[in-house]
Amino acid sequence: MNKATSVTLSERLTANPVILKELRGRMRGWRAFIVLTLYLLVMSSFVTLLYVAFAASTNTAYNGGSGQQIGKFVFAGTVGIELLLACFIAPAFTSGAISGERERQTFDLLRTTLLPAWSLVLGKLGSALLYTFLLFLAALPLQSLAFLLGGVEPMELAIASVLLVATAYLFGSAGVFFSSLMRRTLGATVLTYAFAIMATLGLPIAMLVMLPLTALFSYNSPGVLFQTVMIYGFGFLIMINPAATAIATEVILMEEQTYFFFTQSVYNPQTGNSIILPLVSPWLPYVGFALVFGTGLVLLSILAVRRTER
Amino acid sequence: MPTIIETKGLTKRYGPLTAVNDLSLAVEQGAIYGFVGPNGAGKTTTMRMLTTLLQPTSGEAWVAGHSVTRDQRGVRRALGYMPDFFGVYDDMTVWEYLDFFGACYEIPAATRANLIKDLLELVDLTHRRDDQVDTLSRGMKQRLCLARTLAHDPQVLILDEPASGLDPRARIEIRELLVELSRMGKTIFFSTHILADVAEICTQVGIFEAGRLVAQGGLVEMQRRLLPHRRLQITLLDKLEGAQAALLGREGVLEMKVIPPAQNGEPTTTQLLEVNFSGDDTSVSALLSHLVIQGYPVLRFTEAVHDLEDVFMHATKGIVS
């Protein structure tokens, strides 16, 4: 007969020995407390600075909508900072995950226990992400200031949170992946940051390359196919970049009034008619991309950890 | 006694270098097996293959009946491994360290608290339970690591140089601990180059050189096989030269050596003669009768026991792969 047992979240988490050990180490003593305090101090100074700068540059007496504008501005600023954290701090927590065990010479010990490779990889990634999420959660009250000022809807906050979680997962997985490949944490960190910089700055560079092509739009009257390829190509470049995704999602929200789907008409110079292209707000495909790509990296890490040395 | 660790033609090659060459050994259940050899002989490579950390190039090995290449989980469940380094986490207390490895061996949280208490008692570290692991002395760290390997109550312990780098007291403590564990029914397979440890506690010895097992067996049996000649020590009251002349040319006498009084610890009035002799007990007895009948004043007639160093020097050639 099955006994009805309710398993709490904390029991579930601590069932993985690696998560239990990592969280014990990370939250021990004053360190976690001091890090959080410093982080919140920096974040609140940043928000204050944004507020003061914006208030000084607009004359509130004659501008009724400025409260909403400040709200949007503060919200965008905090999400921007947290996006940076997700891209560069989450991988810092994970890039030493496996290589650190190798350096400490504990990797062999773990491999001779019954701890499965997936448990080690997911435990390392999970504990790093939990700490990153704690940083996001701690900053939530600051983000919510935007609600006091107006101009931000709860749905925007929800999308921003999903975006942050997906980004932390993608970049955290990249850290674990390089850590599982490399013998040294230094090498893993270098590769992880190279990946992070490519993923965040790759788009602007690609844009610079693409810019001369867009000139074709203004001089010739380009065909439907070319325009379609350009629109979807740009969309693709945006949905693989977290910052571009965040900005484009907000722009589409303001211009198209939608969080999800919208259309764009493309003029056909040959027939004089227009065709309608279905499009999707980039945060949706971005989250899908982050989940698939991140999970791919996690699976590769598990294979690398499971592999017996030859 | 059934065999608990077995290898058949176990070989590990790194490019042109052969680290372990066609190794076939058998360790009996309950044995304390001393795996002796010079540095670089391939002892650690062998242990890494037995503990599923390294894939053999060819050959096969079994621990408690589980194949190290096909049933790694079965092997891991049956053995505890202590490498030749500590592998401790800084920023972790002694009990957390054991708790973590206990959890890695799938021991439920409810039973871990009691297990940790027992393990710490066994290795005599109860008083350091809440201290940081990196504040322990080398000997204590080594004992903690030994406790870690015992977390899941394995049948076999594979220990790589458990006594290296320890002071004499810590070494003896580890040695006593191994004997204690053997009494608890565990098979212990350990590598060392400290021959005194082997002679003291091992029931089985394997001498390993340049990737090959050059000799294997019980200590006494191996001495007999590797060093078939005997060393007779004859203490005489007088007439040393005469006795030498009487023994010269007798069958079985290979070599004779007079040990000067300063080295033999005997009073200066007696004389000590050492004879390298090849023959069975009857011919040893005959040799004694011969001396006595001829009127030589024999005070003592003993056979020196060869120590393991003699065996080791005889078996190995000083090659390092």
Side-chain angles (χ1 to χ4, degrees):
Chain A
M1 206 174 81
N2 278 333
K3 236 189 275 176
T5 47
S6 64
V7 183
T8 65
L9 180 66
S10 75
E11 274 170 352
R12 244 179 235 283
L13 284 178
T14 53
N16 181 322
V18 180
I19 288 195
L20 182 65
K21 167 194 155 278
E22 295 285 312
L23 289 185
R24 260 185 198 150
R26 196 156 270 151
M27 303 307 286
R28 188 190 306 280
W30 290 91
R31 201 174 55 198
F33 174 75
I34 289 170
V35 167
L36 263 180
T37 309
L38 283 179
Y39 161 73
L40 282 178
L41 276 177
V42 169
M43 283 293 276
S44 25
S45 334
F46 178 74
V47 168
T48 313
L49 207 68
L50 276 183
Y51 183 86
V52 170
F54 200 88
S57 67
T58 34
N59 192 337
T60 38
Y62 300 102
N63 194 339
S66 76
Q68 287 195 357
Q69 276 179 315
I70 293 180
K72 268 198 184 309
F73 201 57
V74 166
F75 179 71
T78 49
V79 171
I81 290 270
E82 286 177 355
L83 214 49
L84 271 179
L85 280 180
C87 294
F88 293 99
I89 301 296
F93 287 152
T94 55
S95 61
I98 311 294
S99 52
E101 297 285 342
R102 289 206 181 95
E103 283 169 326
R104 242 183 268 115
Q105 300 188 300
T106 43
F107 186 70
D108 277 359
L109 300 184
L110 292 179
R111 293 302 294 133
T112 54
T113 67
L114 298 175
L115 186 76
W118 61 263
S119 202
L120 174 60
V121 169
L122 291 185
K124 288 284 184 179
L125 180 63
S127 59
L129 288 183
L130 278 174
Y131 195 70
T132 315
F133 296 163
L134 177 68
L135 295 184
F136 294 160
L137 207 65
L140 213 55
L142 281 173
Q143 273 183 20
S144 306
L145 275 183
F147 288 119
L148 279 181
L149 298 163
V152 178
E153 289 178 47
M155 185 64 185
E156 282 180 84
L157 184 68
I159 290 178
S161 303
V162 169
L163 215 60
L164 286 173
V165 168
T167 305
Y169 176 69
L170 173 61
F171 286 78
S173 307
V176 170
F177 171 68
F178 289 116
S179 191
S180 71
L181 284 191
M182 302 300 288
R183 211 151 254 290
R184 301 263 151 229
T185 298
L186 184 66
T189 308
V190 168
L191 284 180
T192 306
Y193 275 96
F195 170 85
I197 288 168
M198 274 304 292
T200 47
L201 295 183
L203 178 71
I205 294 166
M207 288 281 202
L208 278 179
V209 176
M210 299 269 290
L211 216 55
L213 287 176
T214 56
L216 292 170
F217 276 110
S218 39
Y219 296 119
N220 308 327
S221 31
V224 176
L225 184 68
F226 180 76
Q227 288 188 56
T228 308
V229 167
M230 285 301 280
I231 287 171
Y232 281 116
F234 253 65
F236 177 75
L237 285 181
I238 287 172
M239 64 147 267
I240 58 170
N241 181 294
T245 298
I247 293 166
T249 302
E250 182 63 26
V251 167
I252 287 162
L253 174 65
M254 288 197 288
E255 289 186 354
E256 309 282 340
Q257 304 296 319
T258 180
Y259 292 113
F260 301 103
F261 302 99
F262 61 102
T263 56
Q264 168 132 12
S265 63
V266 169
Y267 177 69
N268 187 338
Q270 267 101 49
T271 59
N273 297 331
S274 291
I275 60 159
I276 308 289
L277 293 181
L279 290 171
V280 60
S281 187
W283 71 273
L284 271 173
Y286 171 76
V287 169
F289 162 75
L291 289 182
V292 170
F293 197 74
T295 305
L297 290 173
V298 167
L299 291 177
L300 288 176
S301 312
I302 293 173
L303 285 181
V305 169
R306 180 177 291 161
R307 199 177 149 275
T308 309
E309 197 186 308
R310 271 165 204 285
Chain B
M1 274 291 188
T3 303
I4 195 150
I5 302 176
E6 194 180 4
T7 72
K8 281 219 171 92
L10 197 65
T11 302
K12 181 71 202 174
R13 280 191 208 94
Y14 295 101
L17 179 88
T18 305
V20 176
N21 194 356
D22 194 25
L23 173 69
S24 295
L25 61 75
V27 179
E28 289 166 4
Q29 186 162 10
I32 303 184
Y33 189 104
F35 199 41
V36 190
N39 292 329
K43 298 188 301 269
T44 299
T45 308
T46 306
M47 290 191 155
R48 285 173 59 80
M49 285 191 280
L50 287 177
T51 51
T52 72
L53 290 171
L54 191 65
Q55 191 81 30
T57 310
S58 64
E60 182 58 284
W62 297 267
V63 176
H66 305 280
S67 153
V68 298
T69 53
R70 287 187 303 272
D71 182 13
Q72 301 196 325
R73 232 181 131 70
V75 171
R76 287 170 189 171
R77 202 184 291 279
L79 69 78
Y81 170 53
M82 184 164 86
D84 58 349
F85 44 81
F86 294 129
V88 294
Y89 295 95
D90 36 311
D91 202 20
M92 206 177 199
T93 64
V94 167
W95 82 266
E96 281 173 347
Y97 184 76
L98 291 177
D99 187 66
F100 172 57
F101 279 99
C104 288
Y105 277 114
E106 299 178 349
I107 293 155
T111 53
R112 286 207 294 271
N114 264 328
L115 173 76
I116 292 168
K117 194 169 146 279
D118 291 347
L119 287 175
L120 288 178
E121 229 158 75
L122 180 72
V123 300
D124 197 19
L125 280 175
T126 310
H127 59 298
R128 303 299 296 264
R129 183 181 179 276
D130 295 311
D131 290 345
Q132 298 280 314
V133 169
D134 48 359
T135 64
L136 300 183
S137 70
R138 282 185 78 91
M140 287 179 178
K141 275 185 192 165
Q142 196 72 317
R143 296 211 302 271
L144 176 64
C145 290
L146 198 55
R148 179 202 67 225
T149 65
L150 295 167
H152 56 305
D153 194 22
Q155 294 167 265
V156 181
L157 295 179
I158 295 189
L159 316 173
D160 199 352
E161 303 276 355
S164 77
L166 300 182
D167 62 48
R169 170 172 290 276
R171 217 174 73 205
I172 290 165
E173 280 167 355
I174 285 280
R175 212 156 73 186
E176 283 171 353
L177 211 47
L178 294 187
V179 173
E180 175 68 32
L181 290 171
S182 168
R183 231 177 271 135
M184 287 160 67
K186 314 236 175 269
T187 305
I188 297 167
F189 181 84
F190 78 102
S191 73
T192 185
H193 49 244
I194 302 167
L195 295 170
D197 290 346
V198 178
E200 221 33 67
I201 63 172
C202 285
T203 58
Q204 251 188 304
V205 186
I207 296 182
F208 201 55
E209 187 178 45
R212 284 179 178 281
L213 193 66
V214 290
Q216 176 179 238
L219 206 55
V220 182
E221 174 199 334
M222 226 160 63
Q223 281 167 354
R224 214 164 272 150
R225 210 174 61 222
L226 286 170
L227 299 171
H229 58 279
R230 320 169 92 154
R231 211 160 68 201
L232 305 176
Q233 289 180 331
I234 305 164
T235 311
L236 296 151
L237 288 173
D238 198 11
K239 296 206 241 176
L240 181 73
E241 284 78 16
Q244 258 181 299
L247 291 177
L248 200 68
R250 245 190 101 81
E251 200 195 333
V253 175
L254 304 169
E255 194 184 356
M256 264 183 295
K257 195 162 59 174
V258 179
I259 312 282
Q263 281 175 32
N264 62 24
E266 301 267 347
T268 43
T269 50
T270 61
Q271 294 156 324
L272 180 66
L273 184 65
E274 197 173 277
V275 180
N276 249 344
F277 184 78
S278 134
D280 57 8
D281 289 351
T282 322
S283 40
V284 172
S285 167
L287 189 79
L288 175 61
S289 317
H290 177 69
L291 281 177
V292 174
I293 289 165
Q294 299 228 336
Y296 293 103
V298 176
L299 178 66
R300 271 187 290 274
F301 188 93
T302 54
E303 183 175 351
V305 183
H306 287 295
D307 58 19
L308 194 65
E309 275 173 28
D310 299 327
V311 179
F312 183 76
M313 292 306 286
H314 189 83
T316 62
K317 301 176 190 73
I319 322 159
V320 173
S321 67

